[in-house]
Amino acid sequence: MRWFIKQETFRRPAAELKQAIAAHKRWVADCRQQGIEISSGFLVDGEGKPGGGGLLLLQASDYDAALTLIQHDPMLLSGGVEWELQEWISSVGQLGTDAPSQSFTR
């Protein structure tokens, strides 16, 4: 399986997207229950303030399969985000449950 990243930028204030965000979280949880490797999170600025957008990481067999999956994402369906889907090819390191966790400090 290959890794894909969907990056999104909010077109409207986060407060206006609350329902879409809640539906998105349910959708991701449903995907995970179906065995899909997927994780979603939001972006924050240098001061830790959220509101600009988010990232979705997922595994799929190919780009078309990843695109088909994210086309059901409530964030996309809401029209409240601009988004881009790209395949991510790891060149150093490994993602997975057996990878050690890292702590970073500034």
Side-chain angles (χ1 to χ4, degrees):
M1 296 293 270
R2 295 150 54 178
W3 284 102
F4 294 86
I5 298 173
K6 175 188 64 111
Q7 182 172 0
E8 58 191 27
T9 304
F10 292 168
R11 290 181 172 166
R12 300 190 303 262
E16 292 180 22
L17 296 172
K18 280 187 178 183
Q19 288 182 332
I21 292 169
H24 166 80
K25 289 178 180 181
R26 289 189 301 272
W27 174 75
V28 170
D30 289 345
C31 287
R32 293 180 59 80
Q33 286 182 338
Q34 296 171 31
I36 298 168
E37 290 290 334
I38 188 168
S39 184
S40 180
F42 58 94
L43 300 172
V44 297
D45 65 16
E47 297 176 0
K49 296 178 184 173
L55 288 177
L56 180 90
L57 302 144
L58 68 125
Q59 280 190 318
S61 58
D62 57 32
Y63 185 91
D64 289 338
L67 181 60
T68 297
L69 178 66
I70 68 160
Q71 288 175 332
H72 298 282
D73 184 344
M75 290 301 291
L76 273 60
L77 296 173
S78 76
V81 295
E82 293 182 20
W83 60 276
E84 180 176 39
L85 177 67
Q86 295 181 326
E87 182 174 358
W88 177 71
I89 299 173
S90 175
S91 59
V92 178
Q94 177 181 341
L95 292 177
T97 57
D98 59 350
S101 62
Q102 297 286 327
S103 295
F104 296 95
T105 58
R106 293 184 201 199

